[in-house]
């Protein structure tokens, strides 16, 4: 971390976006592939026990997903900004946009509590943008993922799903067979470009 650019904890970050595109042809070992989660893009800000969640439009949505607040307890004395997708899983364990819609527009803590018992959410974490006073956004994808995995962010309602280097077409077909939405491909040499759709991330 010592070699990374020092910065104050960001107040907000504009998430990097993926372009719709064909998957790169084999050999595609210059790319990492992740499952595409059918949910809501949300960034999480953990600052030594404090927790805040930000939507793509910079709305504070922390109160809407109270079951995720314990992530900050797991990080305890760390300061981190993480990127991921909030999803609601159906009975077969697949993300359902119909279900997550029931949590998206709630405007009060009472409504969230009532709906949360029927429609819980999970947070699928796939990137790390800041860690302990340093920006990680300039790092290439594998180094960001290595730092993210070192945080051990696995809990009752949050997960750090695995990624696959190469084999994008095979992962896409496997996702389709399981009724999942698709895959996201990310160039291994890509830094994190806030608010940009550069083509270094693609989705299918």
């Amino acid at each position: 971390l010592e070699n990374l650019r020092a910065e104050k904890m960001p107040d907000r970050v504009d998430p990097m976006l993926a372009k719709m595109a064909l998957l790169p042809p084999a050999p595609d070992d210059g790319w990492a592939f992740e499952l595409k989660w059918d949910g809501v893009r949300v960034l999480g800000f953990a600052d030594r026990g404090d927790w805040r969640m930000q939507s793509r439009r910079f709305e504070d949505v922390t109160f809407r997903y109270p079951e995720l607040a314990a992530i900050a307890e797991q990080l305890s004395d760390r300061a981190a900004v993480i990127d991921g997708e909030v999803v609601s899983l159906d009975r077969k364990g697949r993300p359902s946009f119909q279900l997550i819609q029931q949590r998206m527009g709630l405007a009060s803590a009472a409504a969230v509590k009532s709906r949360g018992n029927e429609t819980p959410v999970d947070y699928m974490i796939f990137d790390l943008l800041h860690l302990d006073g340093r920006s990680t956004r300039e790092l290439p994808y594998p180094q960001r993922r290595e730092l993210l995995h070192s945080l051990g962010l696995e809990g009752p309602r949050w997960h750090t799903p695995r990624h696959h280097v190469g084999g994008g077409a095979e992962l896409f077909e496997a996702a389709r067979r399981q009724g999942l939405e698709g895959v996201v491909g990310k160039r291994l040499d890509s830094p994190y470009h806030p608010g940009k759709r550069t083509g270094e991330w693609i989705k299918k």
Side-chain angles (χ1 to χ4, degrees):
L1 285 179
E2 296 78 19
N3 297 326
L4 299 179
R5 175 171 60 86
E7 68 171 5
K8 290 175 59 179
M9 179 81 166
D11 293 326
R12 67 181 197 175
V13 179
D14 199 357
M16 185 171 174
L17 303 172
K19 283 185 176 180
M20 288 291 296
L22 296 174
L23 295 176
D28 56 3
D29 52 3
W31 292 76
F33 298 93
E34 306 169 2
L35 291 174
K36 188 174 186 297
W37 303 102
D38 196 4
V40 182
R41 185 76 173 274
V42 178
L43 273 63
F45 296 73
D47 192 2
R48 295 172 178 83
D50 291 330
W51 176 247
R52 182 169 54 86
M53 301 196 82
Q54 170 213 298
S55 74
R56 265 184 64 179
R57 297 182 179 181
F58 306 120
E59 179 187 4
D60 189 326
V61 294
T62 312
F63 79 96
R64 200 166 285 160
Y65 309 115
E67 57 265 64
L68 304 178
I71 295 174
E73 297 175 18
Q74 186 172 355
L75 287 170
S76 62
D77 61 345
R78 311 297 298 269
V81 179
I82 54 180
D83 190 359
E85 196 93 358
V86 174
V87 300
S88 188
L89 304 178
D90 65 18
R91 292 179 181 178
K92 294 184 178 180
R94 299 173 304 194
S96 166
F97 194 70
Q98 283 184 317
L99 288 176
I100 193 62
Q101 280 183 308
Q102 299 176 28
R103 295 288 298 270
M104 287 166 55
L106 301 179
S108 72
V112 168
K113 184 176 181 180
S114 173
R115 180 64 67 182
N117 293 329
E118 305 167 15
T119 314
V121 299
D122 287 73
Y123 192 28
M124 304 301 184
I125 304 162
F126 52 68
D127 219 320
L128 176 68
L129 316 185
H130 172 96
L131 184 62
D132 295 337
R134 303 282 177 173
S135 170
T136 59
R137 299 183 293 283
E138 293 81 6
L139 291 173
Y141 173 90
Q143 293 183 41
R144 298 198 311 276
R145 289 289 302 205
E146 183 178 353
L147 285 171
L148 175 61
H149 281 287
S150 75
L151 297 177
L153 290 176
E154 293 291 338
R157 288 287 168 191
W158 55 92
H159 319 277
T160 307
R162 294 177 60 84
H163 66 281
H164 305 262
V165 175
E170 292 83 356
L171 183 62
F172 178 77
E173 291 305 321
R176 284 296 196 187
R177 286 195 299 270
Q178 295 176 51
L180 301 175
E181 190 180 14
V183 299
V184 177
K186 301 179 178 180
R187 284 184 59 100
L188 294 181
D189 58 0
S190 170
Y192 190 99
H193 300 284
K196 304 293 186 183
R197 202 186 297 269
T198 65
E200 293 165 297
W201 289 12
I202 58 173
K203 57 185 178 181
K204 184 177 191 295

